Amino acid sequence: MLTRELFYTWIAIGLGISALIPGIETRCKRTANGKRYRLTIALLADDNNSNVTQQEGILMKNVVLTGEVGKCFLSPHYLKLKVHDSLGMDKKGWTWIKNGMEQASLSQGTRPGTRPNLIIGPFYTNLAMMLEREGIAYLVTDYKGFDWIDMSRVEDRVKWKTIVEIRPPAQEQNLAVVDLFSVNEWDSAVMVMPGQPRDNQECQDLASQLLNKQVSLIPYSVEARSDNAEAMIKEILRNARLSRQRHIIVCSPRDERDKLIEKVLKEAKLFDMLSKSKQYFIFVDPSSYLQPFAGANQMYRFGLFSARCQLLAFRYIRPSYDGTMQSAMEAASIDAARVTTLGLNRYITDQQETTNSFSDARFIKALKSVSLENGKTGIIHFNATGQREGYTLDLYKHGGEDMYERIAEWSFNGTSPDYRLNQTGIVNDPRKKPQIGIFPELVKVVVVIEDPFVMTKSISMERENREEFEGFTIDLLNHLQSALNFRYEIYVSPNNQYGAIWDGMVGEVKSGNATLAMGAISITSQREAAIDFSLGVLSTGVNILVSMPADHYTIFQFLKPFSLELWMAILGSSVVVSLVYFVLDYTRSEKKFTLKETLWFSVGTLLKRGTDFSPRPISQRVLTAGFGFFVLITVATYTANMAAFLTTKNLGKTITSFESLSENDDISCGTVRNSATMNFLSMGTKPVFKRLWEKIQESDGLVSNSSEGRERVARGNYAFIFDYLINAYSEGADCDIKAVASPILIQEHGIGMAEGAPFKTSINIELLKLKENGVLQGLKKKWWDDKRKCNIDVGNKKKSNVQFGVSHTAGVFILGAFGISCGVAFFLFKKFYLIAKPASRNTDEEDEKEKKQLCNASPGSVSRSSKHSIPTPV
């Protein structure tokens, strides 16, 4: 019994200690030992290793493990598997492939016995067989291998358990072309395709499907990379024109390499076939890249803007007007990375038990459950066997005035061509023609609620979603929408955060959930590495928001115009002048400037009261003139300063700079969590910023958004370091707070978008127009200057008048009361002092004084004596 209690005690102590270990929160809660799973990703490469470097870079950039996934998985280890040199794919069986994979793993630093958790690359049958046996996930990015093909995925109809396919099946894309022929009742066509059987398997499947639908097809094979390719194409087009064949199918599965579509267009232009309105060219490129139609430069190069023929192609990658579209390999690699990331997230989310072993079967299941609405290759969903489903193909025109006009939409779901191919309800605004290939049909804009950029307003629920918001960003978005003609939908970023790589607004754009990220999002190097940004919309910086200090009044505020030293100098000067008067008058027989009279004369002059007599000697008059001038200047100066001091509030000490904030230990500070400002302070190299970051950590100063920071500032003893524009708006809206310090970290607010976004140039041009026309400046005035409720800035703002109160002049009343009290006190003292003297003694002294005056025969004395002795007649 004692042993069991001791055992439980040690467990409790162990749990308590583990709670105090700093790194315990970073441990994986899904494993029994708390350690992270090892993750090995193998990339298939061709002989010359030309693709794997770029593909590895894409994966390393887009496979980012954060949150709980980052705690449970180590950073992926990438292997390079050359299909011929390492695996012997074209000569060996799947047993040799397995051994070759193990040898390549050991040679690239993988621990013995470690096998890949995921293989990414094109489809190889022998490799699929080996991975099926080993239970390893196989993320297929193309239907067939690089150069050598044993059997492409087009011909292979096996339901593999470990395969997850990124590309839409080529057979289904071919079915879209067949449905186009069926719906329009086209019964004949000419097909041009590559000559090598290993390059035209998709084309052979298309030809087979067309023949099954009773389409009379004339197929031609062309060695696209041979010297006589142009001559062969000329002969094919000459025959088509002579036979009046209106429908020409150009099938080029590897057109990025063969350039078959480009060669056909050049020869068709020579035959004047591009000017025939009833001539149809149907292009089939399973990669949906269609290099000759990638951008306006290519269109002008081939003269396609003036083409009157119908240049049609089904695409799952939206065409780009400015030519910035990514290659098919790059798009598939990005989607593979995103599927891998989401699959790992799903793996951890669905894991209920705690185990130290990684389950390949559950990982394959997690990959198949991934759903991505805005992938680079379209909507991504998988069925139980790992094949793409739920995607749509759009039929576009690629020439003439209707360039990039979407004329139909095809979906695999349906039992008939009319149901699968929708040629009705496709709305195209003529004003949008140049932009149809640039913007999605619905532009999703992610924002952060931040005054005054984006603010919510109370409206009826019957209105559209975008009308629920207002602010600078909403007005800017409306201007862009009006100029570029697109429809948009606004939604708030998760947790209302800006984000850095995979979180907040940046994460929404990077994951494809949002088309644009707009608001007070600063352009930083970290964000620029994750997504693209437009030109700067507004310039901003970082400053400090603090609470207004309380007003401080003193009852002796009337003494403030002069310093204590000056008051002492004035008093000393008066005393010195009094002494000089006394000395100058001391030798005279008729002394008027006694010590008492001299002091009273100086005080009277200083208070501009005047005296009962004036000095008569020249020396005293010169001294009086000089002292009077001194008093005049002193009083005038005091009056001027007094007016300023009484009409200006005396504010307590406050923060004025980042240096003063770092040195003030009585006030805490903070900023928004996971913001660009936080990253700047946390990585600051200057001592002042290091100290500020330490203060933020010590005082738990990080807040979730600027509204929370503003509230903490209003409560006092807190300084909020954040965006200058946001702080300026807060200062004008709340009179109890103010923005201080010169802005630092000067940056630009921009519009975030996915890397390589085709509409980036168009947005930049419109932003420049808005700046040149003064629209942006007008919007800034509307949402900052016109919304200001408080005039608290010193300089350009007018000061409000201060009404006098008792607090301004209380000291004067106290001083006056002090004078009255002293006068009454002296009077009472003298009165009671005289009463206390003996009456007889007073009478004897007066009689003696009168006798002396009579003896001296002084006229003045006689006069005074007569007043006492001779009564005044009535």
Side-chain angles (χ1 to χ4, degrees), residues 595-609:
L595 187 59
K596 180 177 69 173
E597 294 297 334
T598 300
L599 290 173
W600 178 246
F601 182 84
S602 298
V603 172
T605 305
L606 188 62
L607 297 178
K608 300 184 70 86
R609 172 192 170 279

Side-chain angles (χ1 to χ4, degrees), residues 448 450 493-501 503-506 520 526-527 669-682 693 696-697 699-710 712 718 720-723:
V448 166
E450 192 78 79
S493 171
N495 298 323
N496 202 41
Q497 290 187 351
Y498 295 99
I501 298 179
D503 55 347
M505 298 172 71
V506 178
Q526 188 179 23
R527 291 171 178 165
C669 61
T671 187
V672 174
R673 185 179 292 104
N674 295 331
S675 64
T677 305
M678 190 200 79
N679 293 335
F680 167 73
L681 293 174
S682 62
W693 179 242
I696 291 174
Q697 292 178 309
S699 60
D700 191 21
L702 295 178
V703 295
S704 58
N705 51 57
S706 63
S707 298
E708 183 180 346
R710 192 159 49 242
R712 290 189 61 175
Y718 181 81
F720 182 55
I721 306 172
F722 201 49
D723 188 279

Side-chain angles (χ1 to χ4, degrees), residues 853-854 857-870:
Q853 290 177 350
L854 289 173
S858 172
S861 61
V862 173
S863 174
R864 286 193 297 269
S865 176
S866 63
K867 291 181 182 179
H868 292 280
S869 58
I870 303 174

